[in-house]
Amino acid sequence: MNREMTKISSITKELINYFLMHDAKDIELKIKVKEDKTEINIHSENIEFTEEDMENIKSLLNVGREIENDEYYCQVIGVNSEGEELSAIGVMVDEAKIKWNKPSLDISLIRKR
Amino acid sequence: MTNNENIKIQSSLMIIILLSISFIVMAFILEPPQSLLKGLLDIIIAPDILLTDYIAVGGIGAAFLNVGLMGLINSFLLYRFRIHMHGLAIASIYTVMGFSFIGKNIFNLWPIYIGGYLYSRFKDLEYKSIFLILMFATTLSPVVSEIGFGTYLPRHIAIPAGILAGIVIGFIIVPLSAQVMKFHDGYNLYNIGFAGGILGTVITSLMRGFGININTQNVLSYEYSLHLCILLIIIFVMFIIIGYFKDNNKLKEYRKIFNYVGRTATDFTQLLGDGITYVNMGIMGLICIIYVILSKGYFNGPVLAGIFTVVGFSAFGKHPKNVLPILIGVMLSSFFNIWDISSTSVIIAGLFGTTLSPIAGKYGWIAGIITGGVHLAISMNVGMVHGGINLYNNGFAGGIAAGIIIPILKIFEKEN
């Protein structure tokens, strides 16, 4: 697996960990690999999620891409099974959209090459 | 990148540049230029293995000059690569500046940066995406000096061989550090120190196989302890003042910092803002000073390296609540074992032992205190394995400690 795909894999693993830690009863994951970017979408129809979680995730995923942290953070995320490294995902993606219609949660991420 | 972001980069870098210039000015006040140059040369040709206090090797002026120049060189590179001065960058530059008191110098950092550059070209990566890892990777820069100036080989062979060894280290350290992260689940903040310890062990073993003996040493200074203590207090009080002026409205939210476990990738500049981050850095610096005083230790090169590293990582995971249990654990265990609590080795085991602060952050005070004790025992023994060529000996020890302690703690975790 090349470095870019390793990073995508780490990001998705971290997202899955996060959903499982929030007691998601069902998880759908969709990854679209395109020439210039990769789109990741994760969705659950039934997840334990609060206002505070929403505020937290919004700020963490929207910090903006920082290429200088890419390799270091890639080492960190997905390692632990507790889904605590969302801030690392935030600096590895270019766009993040979060939709929460209680009890469903949908997160869409775009990472440009 | 927004205009605000530009200003942020400049102001955080400016603090480091001003600090670096202050060290250089102090160097010229303390010693005449000729003496400084001689001292700097002595620092460059010293073998640099642990513990080599540059204040003892080249004099306090030359040590300050080396720290200031290292700060400026790395600030320039951070600026040149347009690296955001967020938590990881702050941690890396303060770590580099701290270790410029005990092993990193204006000569031995370049081969590792060059090796990293070659790796980035080889793997078609942007150099800036690995530069912060390379800054930490200079933990193995003593390899360059040890081979170049510390062996029986003639200089015209030894120096190129040392440079080549540094380039090879720079080339392989990035994938190696990724590999070892899994061992401790990210609970050892100085992961590159763990990678460096493993690589250093391999290098030392190979060199010993060729009859080149590398052993740890103790070249320490004691005569400037009070002056260095006062200097540190001034710096850290200024950090608190800077934090206040950066964002005084949010300072009442400082307590929020205690909610963070502090595992790798806890960037306080992004989570809580620059104001709280600088206040935390200042407070943590003062806590370190109190720890050294309570231990009846001296402020010298290694202790300054430890304090600067803790302060840098106070932008990236460390705060009083997750650090104090580790420090207490080291102090308590040193009462019951053979090591002298006031010795530089034990004091830096405590300071650098805070690499394990995420364990205290996650599992609480008792786990943190026990972890501190375990870390002290390991750190006092693993130096001989790599012969002191890995400057982050405590990162190596911390990786081993976390790799053992975390699975045990997980046994007692509730399933739900």
Side-chain angles (χ1 to χ4, degrees), chain B residues 225-281:
Chain B
S225 185
L226 181 63
H227 303 87
L228 292 170
C229 177
I230 292 167
L231 176 66
L232 290 176
I233 291 171
I234 292 168
I235 292 171
F236 300 139
V237 168
M238 283 187 69
F239 278 6
I240 294 172
I241 294 168
I242 288 167
Y244 176 80
F245 281 106
K246 268 181 173 281
D247 203 355
N248 62 351
N249 293 327
K250 282 185 77 181
L251 288 187
K252 54 184 177 295
E253 296 175 16
Y254 177 73
R255 289 170 65 88
K256 276 188 181 175
I257 208 166
F258 300 142
N259 296 334
Y260 292 95
V261 168
R263 271 189 66 231
T264 340
T266 307
D267 184 343
F268 291 140
T269 67
Q270 291 187 330
L271 295 167
L272 298 166
D274 279 0
I276 289 177
T277 301
Y278 272 92
V279 168
N280 189 49
M281 290 166 71

Side-chain angles (χ1 to χ4, degrees), chain B residues 16 29 55 72 80 132 135 150 173 183 256 280 302 317 327 359 368 392 397 405 413 415:
Chain B
I16 292 157
I29 292 170
I55 298 172
L72 287 182
R80 176 73 184 76
L132 296 178
M135 285 177 74
I173 195 72
F183 184 72
K256 276 188 181 175
N280 189 49
L327 292 177
I359 297 180
Y392 308 162
I405 291 168
E413 265 184 333
E415 273 304 308

Side-chain angles (χ1 to χ4, degrees), chain B residues 121-265:
Chain B
R121 295 301 299 262
F122 189 71
K123 297 296 282 185
D124 201 19
L125 296 168
E126 265 196 72
Y127 186 50
K128 75 184 271 186
S129 76
I130 61 166
F131 184 69
L132 296 178
I133 298 177
L134 294 175
M135 285 177 74
F136 287 119
T138 51
T139 178
L140 284 167
S141 52
V143 174
V144 179
S145 302
E146 174 64 23
I147 296 175
F149 306 108
T151 61
Y152 56 79
L153 295 169
R155 285 277 163 92
H156 68 278
I157 295 172
I159 294 174
I163 291 171
L164 184 64
I167 291 172
V168 171
I169 289 165
F171 193 83
I172 62 175
I173 195 72
V174 175
L176 180 63
S177 63
Q179 182 66 29
V180 300
M181 179 73 81
K182 294 163 196 155
F183 184 72
H184 54 75
D185 257 13
Y187 281 93
N188 174 31
L189 289 177
Y190 308 158
N191 180 52
I192 311 286
F194 187 43
I198 291 169
L199 185 54
T201 300
V202 173
I203 293 168
T204 300
S205 305
L206 289 171
M207 287 173 72
R208 284 174 179 159
F210 286 103
I212 302 168
N213 280 320
I214 302 174
N215 292 305
T216 53
Q217 57 183 12
N218 262 301
V219 182
L220 298 171
S221 68
Y222 298 101
E223 61 268 44
Y224 300 105
S225 185
L226 181 63
H227 303 87
L228 292 170
C229 177
I230 292 167
L231 176 66
L232 290 176
I233 291 171
I234 292 168
I235 292 171
F236 300 139
V237 168
M238 283 187 69
F239 278 6
I240 294 172
I241 294 168
I242 288 167
Y244 176 80
F245 281 106
K246 268 181 173 281
D247 203 355
N248 62 351
N249 293 327
K250 282 185 77 181
L251 288 187
K252 54 184 177 295
E253 296 175 16
Y254 177 73
R255 289 170 65 88
K256 276 188 181 175
I257 208 166
F258 300 142
N259 296 334
Y260 292 95
V261 168
R263 271 189 66 231
T264 340

Side-chain angles (χ1 to χ4, degrees), chain B residues 5 12 54 108 116 144 161 178 186 199 202 209 225 240-241 245 251 262 274 341 343 351 357 369 374 388:
Chain B
E5 197 63 34
S12 280
Y54 281 167
N108 64 17
V144 179
L199 185 54
V202 173
S225 185
I240 294 172
I241 294 168
F245 281 106
L251 288 187
D274 279 0
I341 189 173
S343 70
L351 293 170
S357 56
I369 289 169
V374 172

Side-chain angles (χ1 to χ4, degrees), chain A residues 60 63 66-69 71-73 75-76 79-80 82 84-85 87-88 91, chain B residues 83-84 86 88 128-130 132 174 177 181 187 263-265 270-271 316 362:
Chain A
L60 292 178
V63 290
E66 290 181 5
I67 288 170
E68 61 268 33
N69 289 332
E71 288 297 317
Y72 190 89
Y73 278 17
Q75 297 177 5
V76 178
V79 171
N80 192 293
E82 292 167 27
E84 292 176 342
E85 313 297 346
S87 61
V91 298
Chain B
I83 288 176
H84 297 74
H86 290 156
L88 185 60
K128 75 184 271 186
S129 76
I130 61 166
L132 296 178
V174 175
S177 63
M181 179 73 81
Y187 281 93
R263 271 189 66 231
T264 340
Q270 291 187 330
L271 295 167
F316 199 63
K362 172 79 180 173

